[in-house]
Amino acid sequence: MIVVTGATGNVGGRLVALLAAAGERVTAVSRRAAELPEGVRHVRGDLEDPAGLKDAFDGADALFLLVAGQDPRAVLDAARAGGVGRVVLLSSQGAGTRPEFYRHSAAFEDAVRRSGLEWTILRPGGFHSNAYAWAESVRGGRTVAAPFGDVGLPTVDPGDIAEVAAAVLREDGHAGRVYELTGPAPTTPRERAAAIGAALGTPVRFAEQTREEARAQMLHVMPEQVVEGTLAILGEPLEAERRAGPDVERVLGRAPRSFADWAVRNVAAFR
């Protein structure tokens, strides 16, 4: 049995569906009720309460773990006690490139490495789906506002992350590996706005924010430390953050999906 935490998220929801379609026994863990594929067991749980996850872990073989909660060692101890032998951690590229800002992710990675379990770490860059933050302004005024309009980064499709996670959870040969998951090529915020416009069939205007305007907006949804790290990546990316890596293709045997493809498949959110 495979336990998926964050089972209602952009990655977790897709991962649950992929595993169920492949015939795996799946326990989906989330804090709220969820619509799940037939045959998937749901357990309400919170990574802040590792003791409350005992029912989810009992009889499990593998775990897909988010960076959430404050005590990764307690979660991993509970998983191991339930029978889990393999853990796949969804971390962040920033844990490798900017550990001074992404300390929480780096701490989870360290706990996973020390857990005694067979482990694999996934480090995605920015998600294509972060563009959902623009949906309201696109629907209301055909406008996207973002900082650093001409700085390119290779954002990644959450569906690709889910497919990589499904492969790593089900296959041998990935133990002890860290996979950097990015899209096929860097794109700028201005280019991503244009791609949404092309999917809609109508122009979308790009309005460049100042760094301070973006910072004030981000502070509503992110801790200050993560905001500073995110702005550093968006505005002054390191070479490792600009580079489109090969790991999606290495695991899946195909190129990662582009932002333009993602925009076409998810255009309904912007109408």
Side-chain angles (χ1 to χ4, degrees), residues 2-70:
I2 299 173
V3 177
V4 177
T5 62
T8 58
N10 286 329
V11 175
R14 177 65 177 153
L15 175 58
V16 167
L18 288 169
L19 293 172
E24 298 288 349
R25 292 189 303 130
V26 182
T27 293
V29 177
S30 64
R31 287 180 290 183
R32 62 181 188 274
E35 288 189 23
L36 298 168
E38 185 176 353
V40 172
R41 184 173 72 120
H42 181 252
V43 174
R44 285 200 183 197
D46 192 327
L47 291 172
E48 294 281 10
D49 178 25
L53 296 171
K54 182 180 183 302
D55 182 51
F57 293 145
D58 278 351
D61 305 301
L63 167 66
F64 176 76
L65 180 62
L66 298 184
V67 173
Q70 298 302 315

Side-chain angles (χ1 to χ4, degrees), residues 9-263:
N10 286 329
V11 175
R14 177 65 177 153
L15 175 58
V16 167
L18 288 169
L19 293 172
E24 298 288 349
R25 292 189 303 130
V26 182
T27 293
V29 177
S30 64
R31 287 180 290 183
R32 62 181 188 274
E35 288 189 23
L36 298 168
E38 185 176 353
V40 172
R41 184 173 72 120
H42 181 252
V43 174
R44 285 200 183 197
D46 192 327
L47 291 172
E48 294 281 10
D49 178 25
L53 296 171
K54 182 180 183 302
D55 182 51
F57 293 145
D58 278 351
D61 305 301
L63 167 66
F64 176 76
L65 180 62
L66 298 184
V67 173
Q70 298 302 315
D71 193 352
R73 287 176 297 180
V75 174
L76 292 162
D77 286 347
R80 187 171 52 248
V84 169
R86 175 178 296 182
V87 59
V88 176
L89 176 69
L90 181 62
S91 183
S92 168
Q93 187 182 55
T97 60
R98 314 264 181 168
E100 68 276 21
F101 293 114
Y102 291 85
R103 294 173 190 162
H104 198 44
S105 295
F108 264 74
E109 290 191 7
D110 184 62
V112 164
R113 288 187 174 98
R114 295 171 181 269
S115 67
L117 303 174
E118 180 184 301
W119 59 265
T120 307
I121 294 170
L122 309 183
R123 286 181 178 168
F127 290 13
H128 293 344
S129 57
N130 291 347
Y132 283 139
W134 300 337
E136 185 176 349
S137 64
V138 172
R139 289 194 301 265
R142 292 295 187 257
T143 300
V144 160
F148 315 118
D150 297 307
V151 178
L153 290 168
T155 60
V156 62
D157 192 321
D160 285 347
I161 301 170
E163 288 190 37
V164 169
V168 171
L169 285 161
R170 300 182 68 226
E171 300 171 358
D172 294 328
H174 304 285
R177 294 182 179 271
V178 178
Y179 290 126
E180 304 275 344
L181 306 181
T182 66
T187 60
T188 68
R190 196 182 306 276
E191 289 168 339
R192 294 194 287 276
I196 293 170
L200 287 167
T202 185
V204 170
R205 184 176 70 89
F206 181 79
E208 184 146 8
Q209 293 177 311
T210 66
R211 186 187 187 100
E212 284 308 308
E213 287 170 339
R215 184 178 186 276
Q217 188 176 47
M218 289 178 181
L219 283 171
H220 290 296
V221 295
M222 297 180 190
E224 183 174 6
Q225 184 174 300
V226 176
V227 168
E228 296 304 331
T230 301
L231 287 170
I233 291 171
L234 294 177
E236 301 92 27
L238 303 173
E239 178 58 31
E241 294 159 347
R242 290 178 180 271
R243 185 174 59 244
D247 285 346
V248 169
E249 186 163 5
R250 180 175 292 138
V251 175
L252 300 182
R254 63 160 176 80
R257 299 181 181 97
S258 68
F259 180 85
D261 176 71
W262 178 89

